[in-house]
């Protein structure tokens, strides 16, 4: 699947509560114009050096867009945020997925988008 840089501020999120149906609609529309996300359900949240969220997204985009998503956000722990922010680790990871990952012969999930701003991902 092609990567679409999603630099649109409306698609950036700070917390799992920001991963709404409206948020998912923007991502689905970037990959399948005219398709819509109908419902987003949070399956799991794990907080460590990042906040990792597993979602199930009900949409009408067909197989072009997976229905299970994995979203990484900045950690909800302030110490982890400080440690990863100084060396710009979130931005480095986003750059890896947007610029390098597609050319590497390794198994990886389909990428729907990667973007980061301070405190958002």
């Amino acid at each position: 699947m092609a990567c679409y840089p999603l630099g649109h501020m409306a698609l950036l999120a700070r917390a799992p509560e920001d991963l709404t149906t409206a948020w998912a609609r923007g991502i689905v529309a970037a990959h399948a114009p005219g398709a819509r996300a109908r419902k987003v359900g949070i399956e799991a949240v794990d907080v460590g050096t990042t906040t990792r969220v597993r979602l199930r997204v009900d949409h009408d985009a067909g197989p072009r867009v997976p229905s299970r998503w994995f979203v990484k956000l900045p950690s909800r722990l302030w110490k982890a945020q400080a440690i990863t922010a100084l060396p710009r680790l979130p931005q480095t990871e986003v750059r890896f997925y947007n610029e390098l990952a597609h050319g590497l012969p390794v198994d990886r999930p389909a990428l729907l988008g990667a973007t980061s701003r301070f405190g958002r991902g």
Side-chain angles (χ1 to χ4, degrees):
M1 177 173 285
C3 172
Y4 296 88
L6 300 173
H8 212 333
M9 289 301 287
L11 298 179
L12 289 168
R14 287 186 191 275
E17 304 82 56
D18 298 337
L19 306 177
T20 63
T21 302
W23 168 84
R25 282 184 185 136
I27 296 169
V28 169
H31 294 279
R36 288 182 46 103
R38 294 183 290 258
K39 182 179 175 187
V40 171
I42 294 177
E43 293 184 335
V45 177
D46 179 50
V47 179
T49 55
T50 60
T51 297
R52 294 167 295 280
V53 185
R54 293 193 184 280
L55 302 173
R56 180 156 309 271
V57 180
D58 179 30
H59 59 74
D60 59 5
R64 294 179 59 190
V65 178
S67 60
R68 295 190 69 215
W69 296 8
F70 176 75
V71 179
K72 285 179 74 174
L73 302 170
S75 181
R76 297 185 98 173
L77 304 172
W78 71 268
K79 285 183 181 180
Q81 251 188 33
I83 290 167
T84 59
L86 292 174
R88 299 181 51 85
L89 292 177
Q91 292 82 356
T92 300
E93 185 173 5
V94 165
R95 193 168 54 255
F96 167 77
Y97 280 108
N98 283 330
E99 298 173 10
L100 300 173
H102 64 277
L104 298 176
V106 296
D107 288 338
R108 59 181 170 73
L111 178 64
L112 296 177
T115 191
S116 177
R117 300 281 186 279
F118 185 77
R120 295 181 180 202

